[in-house]
Amino acid sequence: GLFLCAKPDDAPKYAKLAEDEGRSQDVIPFRIGEQGFNFLSYEANRGGEGHAVIQNLVFLLMQAAEITARNSKQDFFEQAMTQLLGHCLEVVTVATGGVDLGLIREIVRTLPKNRNEAEDPERLRSMQIVAEAERLAPPERKQDVQEARGYFLGEWATLGDRTRSSIAITLSVLLDSFHRYPLRDLLLAGSTVTPDDVLAGKIVIVDVNEMSWKIVSKIAGVIWKFSMQRAIERRPGLNGNPDLLRPIFIAADEAQFWASSNDQTFQTTARSARGLSVYATQNLHNFYSEFGASDNAGHSRVQSLL
């Protein structure tokens, strides 16, 4: 299972709980400076080829974006950022064979800002990367890369300055957070532990408590939680006799800190996938506060999860 920590004394409590059940040898503390989980590489290596990879990676990153942009009412900018991120990921994965958030940030910073720049694109670093992707693209990916070029030179270059800047800044804020300490080391360096360890019987305690680390804890927690949910749902044994599969838990006190829009979706299939969600909170309004107390969509998400 997976424990998320809200308070500094949560990790020792969860470790003691495991010890009392004779499970100390299975505990893996996930701590800053000690462990790493490259969630993008993990997801990319399990998503197959083509659109499935890009869509999964975009959705995973948007879970983190949702946490960082809580209580904002920017549906248009969220959708626009999703579109921009998808095209950038398409180009970068084809051009480099991997997932490089730094290169995505470089593309966003050097995209054409008007029609004049779009008419002479090859001097821009972003379009040089697109050209490299076009050169290396296998037949099944060529059209996707061409669509990315069309988006960058067409739709993006013709957006109003304020609209384009707002979208770019929204995405840059997310990408920059992953390139700063400690998220850079926790979530982009090499992996010492992954959800596969949990599926094999380990107990991961994400010892990055919210009280001390705030947004860092929220991003790390929601990445682990969502990656764990995905891993639970795609176990191959689910197509055979799921009752023989090991049950996996995701437990969080003050769970509102890591609640996201995917949680209610996961709950619709969690039982048949042998996934157990153990969420605790002081009161219902903590969830409303995180999702947006005056927002109808946020209110509906909380009700659906409950």
Side-chain angles (χ1 to χ4, degrees), residues 89-98 103 129-134 136-137 145:
L89 276 166
E90 186 69 55
V91 168
V92 168
T93 54
V94 173
T96 67
L103 199 56
I129 300 171
V130 172
E132 180 70 2
E134 290 174 328
L136 296 174
V145 176

Side-chain angles (χ1 to χ4, degrees), residues 16-241:
K16 181 63 165 58
L17 182 62
E19 180 184 356
D20 290 345
E21 297 299 325
R23 299 290 304 280
S24 291
Q25 73 280 5
D26 292 324
V27 171
I28 303 177
F30 184 78
R31 298 190 182 111
I32 293 170
E34 297 181 16
Q35 302 284 0
F37 168 39
N38 191 319
F39 68 102
L40 290 172
S41 294
Y42 176 80
E43 184 65 32
N45 290 335
R46 282 151 184 78
E49 295 296 332
H51 277 299
V53 170
I54 302 306
Q55 291 169 353
N56 290 345
L57 292 173
V58 168
F59 194 67
L60 178 54
L61 284 166
M62 290 306 294
Q63 293 295 297
E66 178 184 330
I67 294 294
T68 60
R70 276 273 165 82
N71 300 322
S72 66
K73 295 183 178 180
Q74 296 187 342
D75 290 342
F76 166 77
F77 291 110
E78 182 178 325
Q79 293 171 9
M81 184 175 71
T82 301
Q83 185 179 27
L84 174 61
L85 179 59
H87 286 303
C88 289
L89 276 166
E90 186 69 55
V91 168
V92 168
T93 54
V94 173
T96 67
V99 185
D100 186 336
L101 293 187
L103 199 56
I104 291 175
R105 183 170 53 173
E106 190 172 351
I107 289 176
V108 173
R109 289 174 175 173
T110 60
L111 285 172
K113 297 180 176 63
N114 50 55
R115 290 184 181 275
N116 290 334
E117 289 190 358
E119 290 175 359
D120 186 20
E122 301 313 317
R123 66 186 179 85
L124 300 172
R125 174 60 176 151
S126 57
M127 302 313 296
Q128 293 170 5
I129 300 171
V130 172
E132 180 70 2
E134 290 174 328
R135 185 180 70 82
L136 296 174
E140 67 273 12
R141 303 288 288 273
K142 285 187 179 296
Q143 183 177 345
D144 298 322
V145 176
Q146 290 170 358
E147 288 181 0
R149 174 183 282 274
Y151 172 79
F152 295 150
L153 297 181
E155 293 180 44
W156 183 259
T158 58
L159 287 173
D161 289 343
R162 292 182 64 181
T163 301
R164 187 177 55 249
S165 296
S166 295
I167 299 168
I169 289 172
T170 304
L171 180 55
S172 293
V173 167
L174 174 65
L175 298 178
D176 285 347
S177 65
F178 281 107
H179 277 86
R180 297 181 185 276
Y181 175 85
L183 286 179
R184 178 184 61 242
D185 298 330
L186 274 178
L187 299 176
L188 291 184
S191 293
T192 58
V193 58
T194 74
D196 288 347
D197 293 299
V198 178
L199 297 183
K202 298 299 182 181
I203 300 169
V204 171
I205 300 174
V206 183
D207 190 5
V208 187
N209 71 83
E210 198 278 339
M211 188 175 293
S212 301
W213 292 98
K214 301 301 181 185
I215 192 63
V216 169
S217 173
K218 291 183 177 181
I219 293 176
V222 81
I223 290 295
W224 259 104
K225 175 176 65 70
F226 180 70
S227 297
M228 198 70 251
Q229 289 171 343
R230 295 266 306 158
I232 290 170
E233 289 183 319
R234 64 180 167 219
R235 287 186 286 177
L238 294 176
N239 297 324
N241 189 348

